[in-house]
Amino acid sequence: MSAKTADRIATAVIIAVSALIVLLLAGLLGYILFRGLPHISFHFLTSGPQTIKAGGGIGPQLFNSLFLLVLTLIITIPLGLGAGIYMSEYAKPGKLTDSIRLIVEVLSSFPSIVVGLFGLLVIVNVFGLGFSLFSGALALTVFNLPLMVRITEQALKGVPREQKEASLALGLSRWKTITSVMLPIAMPAIVTGTILASGRVFGEAAALLFTAGMSSPRLDFTNWNPLSPFSPLNPFRPAETLAVHIWKINSEGLAPDASQIAAGASAVLIIMVLIFNFSARWFGRFLHRRFTATK
Amino acid sequence: MEQMEQPAAHDQSRIQPRTNHKLVKPHIMEEWVGKVFTTLCIIVLVVTIAAIVYFVSSHGLATFITDGVSLGGLLSGLKWDPEGEIPLYGALPFIFGSFSTSLLAAIIAAPLGCCAAVFMTQIMPGLGKRVLQPVIELLAGIPSVVFGFVGLSIVVPFLRSVFPGQGIGIAAGAIVLSFMILPTITTIATDALSNLQRGLKEGSFALGATRWQTIYRLVIPTTLPSLLTGVVLGMSRAFGEALAVQMVIGNAPHIPHSLFESASTLTSVITLDMGNTVTGSTHNNALWSLALILLAMTFVFVFIVRFLERRNNR
C-alpha cells in the first residue's frame, strides 16, 4: 500500500469516526427529546409525584434542583473566587503552592459518591443538619469549589499584564487592583465557567442521595415563610432533586408510567443543560463585548 | 512567575517610606482584608480535603481494626454476604467490576477521542471548531442519570437482542461509561495536539511525508504522554461514576463469567446498600472500606497523571 493510499484511508476513517460521534450525540439528544417531549406538559412540570398511581409530575423536584443550585452558588462563588485569587495573585511559587494545587486537583477528582458519604457522615449526622437542601448544597460545594478555583485562576492569568501593572503604577493597592481592574476584565470567562459548572451541579445526583435525601415533604407553594417545614423556601427541609428523581424511578419506580416519567424528566434535565450551555456562551460573548468595547 | 514578584517589590518600596502618612492606613487595611479573605478560602479548601480523607479512612479502617475483618480477606474474598449466618465481606467481585468497566470504557473511548482530536486539530480545524467541539462540550454536560436512563432504554435492550443474556452487565456499563468519558479524553488530546511545537509538522511535510505519516509517526508519539493523561483521567472518572453504572450493570455480587452477565462495582454496591445499614455496624464499616478503596484509587490516578505530566514537560 502506498503512503498516499494509507493517508487517504486514515483520513477517511478519522472523518468517519468524528461524524459518528456527532451522529451519536444527535441521536442521543433526539431520542431523549423525542421520547420525553410528548410527556411534558404544564401539569407534568408543576404537579407533585405519585408513588403508585400514574400521572405523577416533577414540580417539587424541578423547584428543588433550581433552589439547590442557587444555594450552592451562594456558598461556592465567594469561596471559589477568593481561593482562585489567592492561587493566581498571592501564592508564591514553592512547595506550599504546589501542594495546594495538588489538593485542588485531588478534590476535583474525588468520586461524587465518596463526597456524598462524607456529607452523610459529617454534615448530616455530626453537624446535625439532617437530610436537607443545605446539606446538599454543602456537599455540592465540595465538588464545585475546585472547578470555581480553576476557572477564576485561569481567567485572572488571562488578564493582560500591562493592565495590572498600569493600575499598580497608579498607586492602587494590590487588592484594589484585583477587585476593580482585573476582576472586571476576567469576568466574562468567570461567568461563562460558572454557568457551565452550574449545569453540572444541576445534573449531579450521587452526592445528593445521602445529603439532600430522596424524598420531598408535601410542599405548599403558597407558604413563603422560610422557617415553616412545608415552605418551599426552607433550606433545612429534605429535598429530592430532578436528577435523583430520575435515578429513583428508574431503579425502584412503582408507578405504571414510570418509564414515561423518566423520559419526560430526562428531557427536562437535558433542556435545562442545553439552556445553561447556550446561555453561558451567549452571556460570555455579551459580557466580553460590554467590557472590552469590541463590536 | 517573575511578573508576580515584580509588583510585590514595587508595592513595598512605595508603601514603606510613607508609613506615617495618614492616607496609607486604609490602603494597608484594604490589602490586609484581601489577603486574609483569600487565605481563609484556601484554608477552607485544605480543611475540607483533610476532613474527607480523615473521616473516610477512620470509618474504612474500623472494619479491620475493631471488627476484625482481615484486609487480605476483604481484597481477595469472592463472597459478599453481610447478612449471612457467618457474614462474609469479600469485595473482589466489586473491585473486579470497577476495574473491568472503567478499563473497557477507556478502551472504547480512547481511539474515538483521539480520532476526534486529530480531526479537530489536523484535518478540518474549521469544521471541528464549529461542529465537533460544541458536540463534545454538550456531551460533557449531559447528567449521568440521563446516560443511565438512555443505557437502560437503548443499550441494554440492544445487547439483549444481539448477545446471549439479559443485556445488563459489564458490557452495558462500559458502553455507557465510554460516552461519559469521551469528552475528557477528547478535550485533553485536543489541547495536546494544538500545543504541538510549530515547525515540527512543517518539517515532516517538507521531507515529503504524507499527513497520515506525520500524524502517526510524529504527532502521536510526541504527544503520547498527554494523550495517556487524558485516558487516565477518563478512567478515573469512570471508576468513580456511581449512578449510571448502577442502573445498567445488574448489581449481582459475584464475578460474572461473561460481559453480558449481571455484575457489580464498588460504587454501585455503596449506592444501594448504604441506606440500609446502621452506622457503626460491620456491614456499614465494610461499605466505608469500599469507599476508602475508591479514595485510594483516586490518589493513584492523580499520581499517574502527575507522573505522565512530568514526563511530558521534560
Side-chain angles (χ1 to χ4, degrees):
Chain A
M1 191 162 57
S2 76
K4 270 239 165 77
T5 335
D7 182 49
R8 282 214 191 99
I9 294 173
T11 309
V13 168
I14 291 169
I15 292 177
V17 168
S18 309
L20 182 76
I21 294 175
V22 175
L23 284 179
L24 278 174
L25 180 89
L28 203 69
L29 290 182
Y31 174 81
I32 296 167
L33 295 178
F34 183 73
R35 264 203 66 184
L37 280 182
H39 200 73
I40 298 178
S41 61
F42 183 71
H43 173 77
F44 180 68
L45 289 178
T46 51
S47 64
Q50 299 281 354
T51 20
I52 34 176
K53 272 191 301 182
I58 52 163
Q61 281 78 15
L62 193 57
F63 178 82
N64 287 342
S65 284
L66 290 169
F67 192 29
L68 190 63
L69 179 62
V70 172
L71 273 180
T72 310
L73 288 182
I74 291 174
I75 306 173
T76 330
I77 288 178
L79 279 175
L81 276 181
I85 291 171
Y86 182 89
M87 291 309 286
S88 105
E89 300 303 311
Y90 288 106
K92 295 184 184 66
K95 277 236 166 69
L96 187 68
T97 308
D98 283 347
S99 44
I100 295 174
R101 219 169 281 277
L102 180 67
I103 283 175
V104 174
E105 200 179 317
V106 170
L107 203 56
S108 68
S109 48
F110 270 171
S112 63
I113 186 101
V114 172
V115 175
L117 290 184
F118 167 74
L120 173 69
L121 188 70
V122 175
I123 306 167
V124 175
N125 292 338
V126 176
F127 290 168
L129 290 170
F131 288 121
S132 68
L133 277 166
F134 194 64
S135 308
L138 285 178
L140 287 182
T141 302
V142 174
F143 257 137
N144 220 8
L145 201 52
L147 272 174
M148 274 307 291
V149 173
R150 207 175 305 154
I151 291 163
T152 312
E153 194 188 344
Q154 274 172 6
L156 285 176
K157 287 252 161 83
V159 173
R161 205 178 134 192
E162 291 80 9
Q163 300 257 25
K164 180 171 146 190
E165 282 175 358
S167 161
L168 289 169
L170 285 171
L172 292 178
S173 72
R174 206 127 65 102
W175 180 243
K176 193 81 189 156
T177 304
I178 293 166
T179 49
S180 30
V181 176
M182 298 179 69
L183 272 185
I185 301 174
M187 205 45 90
I190 295 178
V191 170
T192 314
T194 310
I195 300 178
L196 284 175
S198 320
R200 282 249 197 102
V201 168
F202 198 75
E204 175 54 48
L208 294 177
L209 291 182
F210 304 123
T211 48
M214 284 195 262
S215 62
S216 267
R218 190 178 297 277
L219 293 181
D220 176 10
F221 277 90
T222 52
N223 182 352
W224 296 106
N225 172 14
L227 295 174
S228 148
F230 300 110
S231 164
L233 284 183
N234 183 357
F236 297 104
R237 63 178 172 87
E240 181 190 44
T241 65
L242 198 53
V244 172
H245 189 61
I246 294 176
W247 177 76
K248 207 174 80 179
I249 48 184
N250 268 315
S251 38
E252 53 192 50
L254 294 173
D257 59 347
S259 73
Q260 274 104 305
I261 294 176
S266 297
V268 172
L269 203 54
I270 287 290
I271 292 168
M272 294 302 291
V273 168
L274 289 178
I275 292 174
F276 278 120
N277 219 298
F278 287 121
S279 63
R281 280 159 203 275
W282 177 82
F283 209 59
R285 269 206 302 272
F286 169 78
L287 284 179
H288 186 74
R289 268 204 305 270
R290 278 295 290 273
F291 283 127
T292 56
T294 47
K295 280 271 153 69
Chain B
M1 287 298 117
E2 273 108 18
Q3 66 235 64
M4 279 202 308
E5 287 302 281
Q6 217 177 13
H10 202 98
D11 236 358
Q12 264 155 23
S13 63
R14 188 165 42 74
I15 291 169
Q16 233 97 65
R18 296 201 286 163
T19 334
N20 297 328
H21 200 286
K22 64 178 178 197
L23 271 177
V24 172
K25 270 199 175 149
H27 213 123
I28 290 180
M29 268 299 280
E30 212 174 72
E31 195 64 21
W32 191 77
V33 165
K35 238 181 195 147
V36 168
F37 171 65
T38 54
T39 314
L40 274 180
C41 292
I42 286 291
I43 291 174
V44 168
L45 210 70
V46 176
V47 168
T48 309
I49 191 166
I52 294 180
V53 172
Y54 169 75
F55 280 104
V56 173
S57 34
S58 70
H59 275 243
L61 292 176
T63 323
F64 313 118
I65 298 166
T66 52
D67 299 331
V69 178
S70 76
L71 176 65
L74 185 94
L75 291 179
S76 64
L78 285 169
K79 202 153 166 60
W80 176 265
D81 186 15
E83 247 104 73
E85 199 88 341
I86 311 155
L88 288 168
Y89 300 99
L92 192 62
F94 310 135
I95 298 172
F96 173 82
S98 282
F99 271 103
S100 52
T101 41
S102 48
L103 202 64
L104 256 181
I107 290 172
I108 300 171
L112 294 179
C114 291
C115 275
V118 168
F119 180 84
M120 272 193 274
T121 53
Q122 317 288 331
I123 295 186
M124 293 179 189
L127 200 64
K129 260 227 159 58
R130 252 182 305 125
V131 180
L132 202 54
Q133 196 161 9
V135 162
I136 297 291
E137 280 167 21
L138 273 183
L139 211 52
I142 295 182
S144 65
V145 283
V146 174
F147 275 112
F149 166 69
V150 171
L152 261 185
S153 43
I154 301 181
V155 177
V156 170
F158 171 76
L159 290 177
R160 189 188 300 148
S161 63
V162 176
F163 298 100
Q166 288 294 307
I168 47 177
I170 288 175
I175 291 171
V176 169
L177 281 176
S178 65
F179 260 89
M180 302 178 65
I181 66 175
L182 185 63
T184 314
I185 296 178
T186 312
T187 314
I188 292 170
T190 310
D191 281 351
L193 292 179
S194 53
N195 287 338
L196 202 66
Q197 220 179 342
R198 277 201 72 84
L200 210 61
K201 248 167 56 188
E202 283 77 355
S204 167
F205 286 141
L207 286 173
T210 62
R211 182 162 63 191
W212 174 241
Q213 280 171 331
T214 309
I215 293 169
Y216 181 68
R217 300 263 170 81
L218 197 81
V219 175
I220 302 271
T222 352
T223 51
L224 195 62
S226 303
L227 298 182
L228 284 177
T229 306
V231 175
V232 173
L233 279 175
M235 266 191 74
S236 149
R237 210 186 143 197
F239 203 84
E241 173 48 48
L243 301 187
V245 183
Q246 187 272 327
M247 284 155 94
V248 298
I249 202 163
N251 306 304
H254 57 74
I255 294 184
H257 298 292
S258 85
L259 292 178
F260 310 103
E261 214 174 275
S262 181
S264 257
T265 63
L266 290 167
T267 49
S268 72
V269 70
I270 295 176
T271 314
L272 288 179
D273 285 8
M274 200 47 139
N276 309 325
T277 58
V278 184
T279 316
S281 65
T282 312
H283 187 180
N284 186 274
N285 284 342
L287 292 175
W288 280 97
S289 304
L290 301 186
L292 186 59
I293 297 176
L294 277 176
L295 202 64
M297 281 309 298
T298 311
F299 282 104
V300 171
F301 282 125
V302 169
F303 178 77
I304 298 174
V305 166
R306 290 237 140 183
F307 174 76
L308 285 169
E309 271 169 0
R310 208 170 305 142
R311 282 209 36 190
N312 197 26
N313 290 340
R314 212 165 39 196

